[in-house]
């Protein structure tokens, strides 16, 4: 594989990854709380549980 082709593949993969990460709501925001409420609690991480308790429970 040529160097130019490898560079294009790496740049494309990086752009796709950055786009997907940028779409995630900010932790503690209303959207984040709503998304987590619709996720089974068995799928939550310890950090998500802690953040939910701090930010989403009045």
């Amino acid at each position: 594989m040529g160097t130019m082709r490898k560079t294009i593949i790496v740049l494309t993969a990086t752009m796709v990854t950055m786009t997907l990460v940028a779409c995630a709501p900010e932790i503690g925001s209303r959207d984040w709380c709503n998304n987590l409420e619709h996720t089974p609690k068995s799928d939550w991480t310890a950090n998500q549980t802690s953040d939910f308790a701090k930010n989403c429970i009045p």
Side-chain angles (χ1 to χ4, degrees):
M1 207 183 293
T3 304
M4 184 65 144
R5 185 170 181 177
K6 286 181 183 178
T7 303
I8 291 172
I9 290 172
V10 169
L11 289 175
T12 301
T14 302
M15 288 181 359
V16 168
T17 302
M18 302 257 313
T19 301
L20 292 175
V21 170
C23 293
E26 182 179 345
I27 294 175
S29 68
R30 180 174 289 181
D31 288 338
W32 182 83
C33 291
N34 288 335
N35 287 343
L36 207 56
E37 285 177 353
H38 293 95
T39 303
K41 289 183 176 44
S42 59
D43 292 344
W44 292 13
T45 65
N47 287 338
Q48 288 174 322
T49 303
S50 175
D51 290 335
F52 184 85
K54 290 177 192 173
N55 299 299
C56 304
I57 299 175

